[in-house]
Amino acid sequence: MRCAIVGMGRMGLRHLRIAREEGFDIVGIVDRRRTALEEAKQAFSLSDDLLHEDAASLFEAQHPELAVIATTAPAHCDLTLLAVRAGAKAVLCEKPMAVSLAQCDRMVEACECAGARLAVNHQMRFMEQYVRPKAILQSEALGGLSSVTVVAGNFGLSMNGTHYFEMFRYMTDEPPVQVAAWLSPEKLANPRGPEFEDRAGAVRLATQSGKRFYLDADAAHGHGVSVIYAARFGRVTIDELAGTMQVVAREEQYRSLPTSRYGMPWREESFRIAPADVIEPTRSVLRALLDGTDFPDGKVGRKAVEVLAAAYASDESGGRTIDLRNAATARDRVFPWA
């Protein structure tokens, strides 16, 4: 598999490591910063001919079969289009997928027209901290998921919030249709550059069937990611950084009682789970993309961007609920996400 990787920041280096470990033929890496290329060269013992500062010329010269796009978000669309025009049959793009819905649509359309697969690196379906709770919540003992509440440090709605929007869709098997948001007024300096902005705040989502999602990642929050999955007969609580999971459920003989009997006898179990990781879930996304089975495709990535764009629109209208089934989302609005 002939592979090119664009972007040699922290995530790009992880992609490079995975490509090496998977035995791909790395035909080139790209970054506009010569210092980043030199660091990658030293870390992975690369030859000088693999270092490039321009993606277009690399794609045209080497025609990679797989292109990994690990730059900041404003470049994702153009780089994806360049890759498929040069013959790439698989593209793995970092999130957020793009900085406008119009860009997302161009990426999906270009890949479909070229017969190429497009994946966005939303990894939840491959992570124990989501796969295991989903199975538990669907069991008779828990009775089905009702809502998800995430309380997190200031991890950025575009950088990490989009992951949780996709997590909610994955956990419920339904896309969110309603969005309301209240963004923090503070705008902290972005480490990726002064041109970028990643807001903090609170977001509420709902699906057509009434399942709910609450995210509170305020600018005043300085630590952690905790998630509570509420179900008919109990709850699952996870500390994602510590790798702990607690399951509480009504004892079986009390399940027929109404939910207002919320203090019925219960059983409680605690488990260790794999703490949040990046490498292995990213590897799983890549393998699924190449196999063509159960990977987070461009439509999944677009939905996360649509929710994020609607969150901005909701905040700007005082927290008004945006109904994605009826509201005309501004497709051409470009956001300052990294």
Side-chain angles (χ1 to χ4, degrees), residues 9-83:
R10 183 171 58 179
M11 199 64 211
L13 292 173
R14 290 166 173 160
H15 284 291
L16 180 53
R17 169 185 160 182
I18 292 168
R20 269 287 183 82
E21 292 174 351
E22 293 295 304
F24 296 155
D25 177 14
I26 299 170
V27 298
I29 64 171
V30 182
D31 201 292
R32 293 178 178 176
R33 301 164 299 157
R34 194 69 198 180
T35 54
L37 292 173
E38 292 296 334
E39 288 172 6
K41 172 187 171 182
Q42 295 300 321
F44 293 91
S45 301
L46 302 176
S47 59
D48 285 336
D49 63 300
L50 295 180
L51 311 184
H52 297 264
E53 296 181 27
D54 178 66
S57 60
L58 170 63
F59 291 160
E60 286 297 325
Q62 296 294 337
H63 302 286
E65 300 162 274
L66 166 66
V68 178
I69 311 300
T71 63
T72 49
H76 289 177
C77 179
D78 288 345
L79 289 169
T80 297
L81 270 55
L82 285 171

Side-chain angles (χ1 to χ4, degrees), residues 154-191:
N154 180 10
F155 60 20
L157 294 182
S158 67
M159 184 56 58
N160 288 293
T162 51
H163 273 320
Y164 287 87
F165 304 155
E166 163 54 15
M167 175 270 274
F168 180 57
R169 186 213 60 79
Y170 165 73
M171 296 297 291
T172 61
D173 294 311
E174 293 183 76
V177 297
Q178 292 184 329
V179 182
W182 302 264
L183 304 187
S184 302
E186 300 93 336
K187 297 182 180 180
L188 303 181
N190 194 293

Side-chain angles (χ1 to χ4, degrees), residues 234-313:
R235 67 178 184 272
V236 177
T237 304
I238 293 181
D239 185 319
E240 295 191 351
L241 300 187
T244 61
M245 177 170 71
Q246 178 195 53
V247 180
V248 175
R250 278 188 186 188
E251 292 185 0
E252 184 175 0
Q253 62 267 37
Y254 302 105
R255 291 179 196 160
S256 61
L257 297 177
T259 54
S260 58
R261 302 291 296 275
Y262 59 86
M264 289 296 96
W266 69 90
R267 60 177 178 80
E268 179 178 331
E269 297 179 275
S270 296
F271 305 92
R272 297 292 303 180
I273 59 172
D277 174 51
V278 175
I279 294 291
E280 292 310 314
T282 296
R283 190 193 311 274
S284 296
V285 171
L286 178 58
R287 287 177 174 174
L289 168 65
L290 298 180
D291 290 342
T293 56
D294 189 34
F295 61 90
D297 61 16
K299 294 178 182 177
V300 162
R302 185 195 190 280
K303 176 56 68 175
V305 170
E306 181 184 28
V307 171
L308 183 57
Y312 273 67

Side-chain angles (χ1 to χ4, degrees), residues 102-113:
Q103 289 183 0
C104 293
D105 292 337
R106 287 198 291 274
M107 294 164 71
V108 170
E109 181 181 3
C111 289
E112 288 178 347
C113 290

